[in-house]
Amino acid sequence: MEIRPIRTEADYDAAIAEIERLWGAEPGTDDGDKLDILATLVERYENERWPIDTSRVDPIDMLNYLIDEGGHTQVELAELLGSRSRASEILNRRRALTVDMIFRISEAWKVPAELLIRPYRLKAA
């Protein structure tokens, strides 16, 4: 595959297929470099084509997504927040995230802090 900008769905599909073929290539090799470039192009296309409206992202829904789909666990969250009960309170909307918590999650899980700082409703005690 020749590397070029992704402008259409067909270009996108071809790039995804090539990424799948190259997956696991050693960094620093020709295939590894090609994989890196294609991944960057695909990310740019996806961000332009399907932008995430961060003003509508609920922080707790984001945490649940990161746990369910992002390869993280509630145990990891508990370790970041200091206890299992605190993680449970956060996920059950009984305790609000603090700036310190947001910072730790953002750094450890490589998620933009802006996705976790939005106001959200807590459940009544």
Side-chain angles (χ1 to χ4, degrees), residues 48-116:
E48 289 175 1
R49 177 104 162 118
W50 304 292
I52 296 172
D53 181 1
T54 59
S55 68
R56 299 183 131 195
V57 174
D58 177 272
I60 303 309
D61 290 344
M62 176 55 67
L63 288 176
N64 282 311
Y65 173 80
L66 292 167
I67 290 168
D68 295 340
E69 305 291 331
H72 297 288
T73 66
Q74 189 169 341
V75 171
E76 287 178 77
L77 182 63
E79 290 169 0
L80 289 171
L81 302 181
S83 73
R84 296 185 93 188
S85 62
R86 184 164 298 138
S88 180
E89 289 172 337
I90 296 293
L91 293 174
N92 288 308
R93 299 174 186 271
R94 302 226 184 269
R95 178 188 290 252
L97 286 165
T98 65
V99 172
D100 185 56
M101 291 175 189
I102 291 168
F103 178 79
R104 282 188 263 153
I105 295 165
S106 175
E107 288 291 307
W109 290 3
K110 307 298 183 219
V111 59
E114 69 185 45
L115 297 178
L116 302 173

